[in-house]
Amino acid sequence: MISENVALNPLDPKDLIHTFGMIGVWAILFAETGLLIGFFFPGDSLLFLAGVAASPVADAIFGDGTRLSLAGLMIGGPICAIAGAQLGHWLGARYGRRMFDKPNSRLFKREYVEKAEYYFQKFGPAKAVVLARFIPIVRTFLNPVAGVLGMPARQFFVWNVVGAVLWVDGILLIGYLLARQIYDAIGDKIDRYILPVVAVIILISVLPIFFEFLRDRKARKRGEAVAVIAAATAAGAVEAARDAIDGDDHPHGHGGQPRR
């Protein structure tokens, strides 16, 4: 057992599930969303494999006695993700921007914070908190950023709960429902295919953000068109007013004849 723990790869979701079980899943969900150092944990792939590990084919894939409780995952998982995000929000509100006043390193990059701030400003507090759950790294840094930018704790909590339930239980159920088909297709070699599967899940989950960008771009173009029309109308009105003034200054008809 000691040798297995020493050989554990903390970035390998299959190793994490096999070694620590459901408690490990809960702990990583809390760390990834609540601690800035947790952004490198494999949250999406861990949830997907945890759903597979709760299915009837879990023992065949992970080994005897490794099947997890689906109810425990679907209840405890969101609770840990919610608690972690609330901690991140509290830290941001408590310590402010000095949390991020550190030089770039191998783990920390200023661009992570800037990206989280961009989503917060782009979509507004509510949408940002929900959508960030489905974006690796952003889901870690957006929580303290929301606190730094003054999002009220109660408002954050409401959307934190919505985002956590959609993210955790959604990906868990996808893994659970697809487990049998995956095992029939590739047997116990699921670790070879987990990255493509998770990539598809992330792609699907960020579609709402893509559609938001398209809608915002169209709205911006419509706004520019309206501005051009308004400017042209204003210019026409000014020209008409100038002509009227000129007509008052020269009260004569064509050919210089006085009006009768």
Side-chain angles (χ1 to χ4, degrees):
M1 181 175 180
I2 293 176
S3 63
E4 287 181 357
N5 287 332
V6 171
L8 171 70
N9 178 2
L11 301 182
D12 187 334
K14 189 174 179 181
D15 277 1
L16 291 169
I17 291 173
H18 184 75
T19 305
F20 297 112
M22 187 161 56
I23 301 298
V25 175
W26 290 348
I28 288 173
L29 290 177
F30 176 85
E32 188 184 9
T33 55
L35 307 176
L36 294 183
I37 60 172
F39 70 88
F40 59 84
F41 282 124
D44 298 298
S45 54
L46 180 69
L47 285 172
F48 181 80
L49 278 185
V52 175
S55 71
V57 297
D59 289 345
I61 294 177
F62 297 98
D64 292 340
T66 56
R67 185 174 181 182
L68 305 180
S69 165
L70 181 62
L73 289 170
M74 294 190 67
I75 296 173
I79 290 175
C80 291
I82 292 166
Q86 287 295 142
L87 173 62
H89 178 274
W90 179 83
L91 290 172
R94 175 69 175 81
Y95 295 104
R97 287 195 173 273
R98 65 179 180 271
M99 285 185 63
F100 309 126
D101 289 340
K102 57 181 70 176
N104 285 339
S105 65
R106 185 171 297 179
L107 291 180
F108 179 84
K109 306 290 183 186
R110 284 289 311 171
E111 64 186 80
Y112 300 159
V113 180
E114 292 167 0
K115 187 179 294 186
E117 289 182 331
Y118 169 79
Y119 281 109
F120 193 89
Q121 301 288 357
K122 178 72 174 179
F123 299 109
K127 284 185 180 179
V129 171
V130 174
L131 294 176
R133 286 289 188 178
F134 297 91
I135 308 174
I137 298 179
V138 174
R139 63 171 158 260
T140 301
F141 287 92
L142 186 128
N143 303 319
V145 164
V148 170
L149 296 180
M151 185 176 183
R154 288 186 178 181
Q155 182 188 15
F156 180 84
F157 176 75
V158 171
W159 297 109
N160 178 22
V161 171
V162 173
V165 172
L166 290 176
W167 176 54
V168 175
D169 288 351
I171 297 181
L172 281 172
L173 286 174
I174 291 173
Y176 180 84
L177 296 173
L178 294 180
R180 170 59 69 181
Q181 290 86 338
I182 292 173
Y183 182 71
D184 290 343
I186 61 177
D188 61 354
K189 307 299 183 184
I190 191 171
D191 50 330
R192 297 181 183 178
Y193 301 89
I194 185 62
L195 288 180
V197 171
V198 171
V200 172
I201 293 172
I202 294 176
L203 177 63
I204 294 173
S205 64
V206 299
L207 282 179
I209 298 175
F210 176 73
F211 291 135
E212 283 288 340
F213 273 118
L214 287 181
R215 188 169 66 177
D216 181 73
R217 185 176 179 182
K218 290 180 179 178
R220 190 163 56 247
K221 287 184 176 180
R222 285 197 299 269
E224 291 173 355
V226 170
V228 170
I229 294 172
T233 303
V238 170
E239 187 65 27
R242 185 180 298 134
D243 290 344
I245 293 173
D246 290 343
D248 289 340
D249 290 340
H250 305 284
H252 297 286
H254 295 291
Q257 297 299 321
R259 295 179 182 174
R260 296 182 180 273

